[in-house]
Amino acid sequence: MYNYLIIGAGLFGSVFAHEAHKRGRSVHVIDRRPHIAGNIYTEEIEGIQVHRYGAHIFHTSNKEVWDYVQQFAEFNRYTNSPVARYRDELYNMPFNMNTFHQMWGVITPDEAKAKIEEQIREAGIKEPRNLEEQAISLVGRDIYEKLVKGYTEKQWGRRATELPAFIIRRLPVRMTYDNNYFNDKYQGIPVGGYTKMVEAMLDGVEVRLNTDFFENREVFEQMAKKIVFTGNIDRYFDFCEGELEYRSLRFETEILDTENYQGNAVVNYTEYEIPYTRVIEHKHFEFGCQGGKATPRTVITREYPAVWKQGEEPYYPINDDRTNELYRKYAALAEKCPNVIFGGRLGKYRYYDMHQVIEEALSCARDELRD
């Protein structure tokens, strides 16, 4: 009989397991995948740490969280500066003075503001009825057509005119020549990859992989006084209120006989006709690994948005009015389960960045593990 059975060896489960183990609680972690670290799992290919489930760049302004992850890994100084490709045109992201100069040839912030405001006035949209109108009313037609429309339609699997306006409440616009995607104070990627970091979190903890909780649920539920569940909350309750919705992803990874394929870690493809949303070249996440004898080849991954269905990996909760109402019903059921803790992106049906998962897990551990 363990104190805690943790379902899922991703970031939430691993942080909670570390905190519980550190406080002398007995912990057992299971995961249906053949590896730990969940979606932040990295594996070494050709001497390069490959992000198996898409690019993950750690960023936070919370010093407590930053100091916390430093216990488990040394972080490099990687700065996320994606490039957007629209046909044969290249634009810096996020929308900043470099983007506006590339788009219109403007040089000063006042010129850029005037151009955006002119296009917003020309559109004349007072009450946006859909995502397209919302985006145009925020940044004008040029930026929307080239950098928002196609990418968003691929990501959601629906035309922008069919998507609700609330999906894009704001679009970040910076009137500086700064390509740093995040505003957070701390940013980087663990040297040696995320898997190594999670291994350090789980040091001394019993972990069983290739193990599906639902295939032997009755036995697992008798193994511990409490369960920490990080999977789909609707599946835990046998979909009794209906199925929640997600978007999924599909990845194509390729080893190329070239030192440097695209010159940047992340290139977004914003035109609708190209089916993938971005190409990741993994070696650019690591300093000293960009080329040369150490890594004469490179590894790229094309990322394709996909319709989610049972059995596929759920990546992005679709938090529209209908599904949020459905989740509230499951959250009410969860409150009636005092011996089960629901956490993480799937357990809470909420999009979290990595630092937010850690914040939630630490807060949960503090509340739960009071001596």
Side-chain angles (χ1 to χ4, degrees):
M1 176 63 71
Y2 295 91
N3 292 122
Y4 295 97
L5 173 69
I6 299 176
I7 317 299
L11 200 49
F12 185 96
S14 298
V15 169
F16 189 96
H18 176 82
E19 293 302 302
H21 178 70
K22 183 172 70 175
R23 290 168 172 81
R25 308 302 202 272
S26 57
V27 179
H28 190 67
V29 178
I30 66 172
D31 199 297
R32 62 179 178 78
R33 289 173 169 173
H35 58 74
I36 61 171
N39 289 345
I40 65 172
Y41 173 70
T42 51
E43 62 179 336
E44 185 171 313
I45 301 175
E46 297 289 325
I48 300 163
Q49 289 298 324
V50 172
H51 297 219
R52 170 81 75 81
Y53 303 102
H56 286 84
I57 298 98
F58 195 90
H59 60 96
T60 184
S61 292
N62 186 328
K63 190 173 187 301
E64 179 192 9
V65 170
W66 184 245
D67 290 343
Y68 185 80
V69 295
Q70 302 298 307
Q71 302 173 80
F72 310 108
E74 174 190 356
F75 279 68
N76 67 24
R77 62 175 185 85
Y78 177 81
T79 300
N80 190 28
S81 303
V83 171
R85 178 172 176 172
Y86 176 78
R87 297 178 181 169
D88 290 328
E89 301 170 13
L90 296 178
Y91 297 95
N92 290 109
M93 299 288 285
F95 308 142
N96 68 77
M97 285 303 300
N98 288 310
T99 320
F100 308 141
H101 178 71
Q102 292 153 350
M103 184 81 66
W104 302 306
V106 297
I107 294 174
T108 68
D110 283 343
E111 291 173 334
K113 288 178 186 176
K115 190 69 176 176
I116 292 171
E117 290 169 0
E118 175 191 352
Q119 293 198 356
I120 291 173
R121 282 196 307 272
E122 287 175 354
I125 298 167
K126 302 300 182 184
E127 295 184 9
R129 296 166 296 176
N130 52 54
L131 185 146
E132 177 168 289
E133 293 183 354
Q134 175 72 14
I136 293 172
S137 70
L138 291 171
V139 294
R141 187 166 293 278
D142 287 349
I143 294 173
Y144 167 71
E145 292 285 351
K146 292 187 175 183
L147 302 181
V148 177
K149 184 177 189 293
Y151 189 95
T152 302
E153 291 180 340
K154 288 188 288 188
Q155 194 74 14
W156 287 91
R158 292 163 60 187
R159 293 298 184 180
T161 51
E162 300 170 357
L163 291 166
F166 72 79
I167 289 176
I168 295 185
R169 292 185 175 88
R170 65 182 187 86
L171 285 168
V173 174
R174 296 182 189 164
M175 293 299 163
T176 57
Y177 288 90
D178 182 5
N179 298 326
N180 180 1
Y181 194 81
F182 299 118
N183 287 317
D184 289 308
K185 184 175 181 180
Y186 309 105
Q187 183 175 174
I189 291 176
V191 176
Y194 285 102
T195 303
K196 183 178 177 182
M197 181 184 80
V198 176
E199 282 176 353
M201 288 181 181
L202 293 172
D203 184 40
V205 174
E206 292 183 39
V207 179
R208 197 191 318 181
L209 302 175
N210 295 301
T211 303
D212 191 331
F213 169 75
F214 293 103
E215 290 181 358
N216 214 356
R217 180 171 182 163
E218 290 184 5
V219 172
F220 285 125
E221 287 178 332
Q222 301 304 314
M223 282 181 59
K225 296 174 183 176
K226 280 196 172 183
I227 288 175
V228 178
F229 185 81
T230 67
N232 301 37
I233 189 172
D234 53 343
R235 189 179 182 194
Y236 183 87
F237 291 107
D238 296 321
F239 309 106
C240 63
E241 298 289 350
E243 289 188 17
L244 293 168
E245 293 184 49
Y246 306 85
R247 287 289 287 168
S248 191
L249 296 170
R250 179 172 61 85
F251 303 99
E252 288 183 357
T253 297
E254 188 177 355
I255 301 170
L256 302 177
D257 286 317
T258 182
E259 291 181 5
N260 189 348
Y261 174 72
Q262 63 185 17
N264 203 51
V266 181
V267 175
N268 293 345
Y269 285 76
T270 61
E271 58 188 289
Y272 184 80
E273 292 70 23
I274 293 178
Y276 43 87
T277 50
R278 57 184 180 175
V279 175
I280 301 161
E281 187 169 10
H282 301 269
K283 66 166 49 178
H284 295 300
F285 290 129
E286 302 181 82
F287 292 100
C289 194
Q290 280 75 13
K293 294 180 180 178
T295 56
R297 299 205 282 181
T298 195
V299 182
I300 66 167
T301 299
R302 294 179 181 87
E303 188 172 305
Y304 296 80
V307 175
W308 178 82
K309 56 183 180 292
Q310 285 293 336
E312 302 291 334
E313 198 63 43
Y315 287 93
Y316 302 109
I318 297 180
N319 293 116
D320 58 20
D321 291 340
R322 188 195 73 80
T323 54
N324 284 340
E325 177 58 33
L326 184 57
Y327 167 70
R328 281 190 282 273
K329 294 178 181 179
Y330 283 116
L333 291 174
E335 289 179 3
K336 298 174 183 177
C337 300
N339 294 325
V340 183
I341 298 167
F342 294 88
R345 187 183 292 191
L346 303 180
K348 293 290 190 180
Y349 196 66
R350 187 181 307 164
Y351 182 83
Y352 283 123
D353 283 325
M354 287 180 285
H355 66 286
Q356 294 167 320
V357 173
I358 292 173
E359 286 174 8
E360 187 205 4
L362 287 175
S363 175
C364 179
R366 277 192 292 265
D367 292 340
E368 173 66 24
L369 301 170
R370 290 194 182 102
D371 294 321

